Amino acid sequence: MPDATSSAAGAVMPELVLFNGRFTTLDRARPQAEAVAIRDGRFLSVGGNQEILALAGPGTRRIDLKGRGVLPGLIDNHLHIIRGGLNFNMELRWDGVRSLADAMAMLKAQVDITPAPQWVRVVGGFTEHQFAEKRLPTIDELNAIAPDTPVFLLHLYDRALLNGAALRAVGYTRETPEPPGGQILRDADGHPTGLLLARPNASILYATLAKGPKLPPEYQLNSTRHFMRELNRLGVTGAIDAGGGFQNYPEDYQVIRQLSEAGQLTVRLAYNLFTQKAGQEKEDFLQWAGSVRYKQGDDYFRHNGAGEMLVFSAADFEDFRQPRPDMPPQMEGELEEVVRILVQNRWPWRLHATYDETISRALDVFEKVHRDTPIDGLNWFFDHAETISTRSMDRIAALGGGVAVQHRMAYQGEYFVERYGARAAEATPPVAEMLRRGMKVSAGTDATRVASYNPWVSLSWLITGRTVGGLQITPQRNCLDRETALRMWTEHVTWFSNEQGNKGQIAAGQLADLIVPDRDFFGCPESDIADTSALLTMVGGKVVWGAGEFADLDESVPPPAMPAWSPVRRYGGYGAWGASGSEGKPLQAAVQRVACACATECNLHGHAHASAWASDIPADDARGFWGALGCACWAV
């Protein structure tokens, strides 16, 4: 007998139909649609309600989208998802928190439930400029909150703050030598104060964080699932993992591989291999090239080449509070050795490069190798490229390469302007110019440390040119329209993982990855874009996140975050959305139910009272309380 999704005549019927939607397909042959049919994890057909519903059979599942907008699933071109997943459940996220007072209240609550010898960690994803107070906490404030529990706070890649308990835990004393490329600040007697600085590289920050307790493997599995779920909540369905410091292959890939083999990945992942030890880069890539095949894997988990670290001598760290570092003279020779290995094995690569001076020197190497063995067609690219010149753009295009940009300037724009001036920041990075030149260019986050994993913050930055602190750094002529920005996060990313035509659009034959955002991406005010989350996220036609009216469709709810004291249990993730209610009820939805009606802004939140409304502070109701966190929100 034929199965429930095929007719007696052999016609293929969909397993799932989504109808009554407003689909932005990004397929130029059919840019808009009302419905889609899905089978075997792919879009079977895209069209109008009547024609798609006519395909449905008795076994076809139907989902009425009730007029909601639908977008292709978002794909992050540079995300440290493997490393981030191993640690997500241990980290208190200040991403999206609007006041330091709220952030410190979260920290205090977490200190109170974190057992010894565990640390409380705030590991990047935020900037002091997002806070109304425009500052970081002092070490005295950290010590007052946590006299006995180690607290490690990483701010971008420029500094880390450690309380006294954390200094004791890591063993930094008067006798601890200064680290290369970093600084341990000391008092008049030579004792560490708790402030670590990257000058100019972040090695001291990495190395100190690595001294903290780790989760056991079964908790790391749970942690990675919760990180993927948080990404799904924000509409992310795919990512390219850029490796990372202290992310060793194959040891630190066992958890993600186990989840892949168990069919539990809810974010499609293409991973690059990142060398870990200066002086041993060539040996790493020779070994890996003999054991890993390019594209090895499947549509959920596959190898994507080398990088973002190819050789340590070519890594220009992006701390705009410090002068631009000059790469050492051995850079070209060491880089050439590695690139020749990659080209011989037909591996693409990605290379971290913040400044044009580094990009230009790397291009000298790539062009030299290209003269012997062509590198065009390898889908290689630079990451970041904040100060790339038009000359370097032309050289990259001539060699068939690309540029993957991230929204680091949304978090560091103020520091860049302070050092180089507002005029220099107007096209940093020059995204619009690269697009005008027809280059391969896409967008991502570089999360979880130097910026937040929230894709909507990146989209907002591309469209508005504003930092998360509200500084206008990019003039309108260099900003992108909403469709172009969306393409930067979808179809454009697929070139960087060599998956063009396989995903990135809502089109017949492509992977059925899509999102239903909680607001109209094309119609909402620009100021609302960064606060977007998903009501429905699907990967391969499977619901991996459902909220609001789609909550009952959710098929991928993991067990509660482990351990029991995990900050994820209480705060969720970006914007501490979990504190506003149960899972499946994003903070944004709670905020939308209460309209700000005050005539004047308060001294802490301005007109953005959401963080106070969502705080766990006794109050009769959301409109009536006053005095919370020392602000004047009584006016609402």
Side-chain angles (χ1 to χ4, degrees), residues 6-337:
S6 61
S7 70
V12 175
M13 294 183 183
E15 298 163 342
L16 174 67
V17 163
L18 283 71
F19 64 101
N20 261 351
R22 293 180 293 107
F23 289 80
T24 297
T25 69
L26 298 184
D27 178 3
R28 290 172 175 81
R30 183 159 198 164
Q32 303 292 328
E34 295 176 315
V36 297
I38 296 170
R39 182 180 174 87
D40 296 329
R42 293 182 179 271
F43 295 114
L44 181 66
S45 187
V46 179
N49 285 326
Q50 189 171 1
E51 63 178 298
I52 298 301
L53 285 170
L55 301 174
T60 301
R61 185 183 182 191
R62 297 165 174 82
I63 298 177
D64 185 352
L65 298 177
K66 301 178 181 178
R68 291 277 186 182
V70 188
L71 307 175
L74 303 179
I75 309 167
D76 194 326
N77 73 12
H78 186 130
L79 180 62
H80 297 278
I81 184 172
I82 296 174
R83 182 182 66 191
L86 298 179
N87 298 288
F88 184 70
N89 281 1
M90 289 192 295
E91 296 175 354
L92 179 68
R93 304 304 306 182
W94 281 359
D95 307 39
V97 177
R98 304 297 173 83
S99 81
L100 180 59
D102 289 356
M104 293 296 280
M106 294 167 62
L107 184 67
K108 175 62 167 65
Q110 187 59 42
V111 165
D112 289 345
I113 65 170
T114 301
Q118 295 294 334
W119 298 10
V120 175
R121 315 164 201 231
V122 182
V123 186
F126 77 100
T127 170
E128 61 182 325
H129 295 289
Q130 77 192 40
F131 296 144
E133 299 89 339
K134 302 297 182 184
R135 71 173 180 90
L136 293 174
T138 67
I139 293 170
D140 285 344
E141 288 171 327
L142 297 181
N143 284 327
I145 282 177
D148 302 311
T149 302
V151 172
F152 178 96
L153 193 157
L154 177 68
H155 181 255
L156 307 174
Y157 273 158
D158 65 29
R159 64 195 54 216
L161 279 68
L162 283 70
N163 68 345
L167 281 176
R168 293 191 294 272
V170 300
Y172 291 169
T173 67
R174 183 175 178 176
E175 286 70 42
T176 302
E178 285 296 279
Q183 183 179 4
I184 301 173
L185 255 67
R186 303 170 191 268
D187 63 20
D189 296 322
H191 299 288
T193 64
L195 179 60
L196 310 179
L197 297 178
R199 289 192 168 173
N201 72 62
S203 297
I204 180 60
L205 313 182
Y206 271 139
T208 305
L209 179 60
K211 293 175 181 289
K214 294 178 173 58
L215 292 174
E218 64 270 24
Y219 286 26
Q220 290 179 337
L221 280 165
N222 177 277
S223 179
T224 301
R225 291 189 66 187
H226 276 276
F227 185 33
M228 290 190 295
R229 183 164 178 80
E230 168 70 350
L231 294 169
N232 296 151
R233 182 184 74 85
L234 294 168
V236 175
T237 61
I240 307 177
D241 185 272
F246 293 86
Q247 182 178 322
N248 294 287
Y249 182 86
E251 297 86 351
D252 292 322
Y253 290 69
Q254 295 308 312
V255 165
I256 199 76
R257 189 176 301 280
Q258 185 175 339
L259 289 171
S260 174
E261 291 171 352
Q264 292 182 324
L265 293 185
T266 62
V267 175
R268 300 188 191 276
L269 185 61
Y271 65 92
N272 287 72
L273 294 182
F274 180 120
T275 187
Q276 294 294 323
K277 294 182 180 179
Q280 296 185 23
E281 301 96 331
K282 180 180 177 181
E283 289 72 19
D284 275 345
F285 288 111
L286 281 171
Q287 177 184 348
W288 293 338
S291 61
V292 182
R293 188 181 70 257
Y294 173 52
K295 293 188 181 181
Q296 182 174 317
D298 56 27
D299 288 327
Y300 275 91
F301 184 60
R302 63 198 296 272
H303 176 240
N304 196 54
E308 64 181 298
M309 182 74 81
L310 297 182
V311 293
F312 279 75
S313 56
D316 62 351
F317 293 91
E318 68 283 355
D319 182 359
F320 296 132
R321 301 178 98 169
Q322 299 293 325
R324 176 185 62 81
D326 286 317
M327 298 298 96
Q330 70 267 26
M331 168 186 159
E332 283 82 354
E334 293 179 351
L335 183 59
E336 180 181 343
E337 284 188 327

Side-chain angles (χ1 to χ4, degrees), residues 365-376:
V365 173
F366 298 168
E367 288 167 346
K368 180 180 179 181
V369 173
H370 178 71
R371 286 193 289 270
D372 298 329
T373 310
I375 67 173
D376 47 346

Side-chain angles (χ1 to χ4, degrees), residues 592-604:
Q592 288 172 353
R593 291 197 299 271
V594 187
C596 173
C598 65
T600 59
E601 63 182 21
C602 83
N603 59 4
L604 180 58

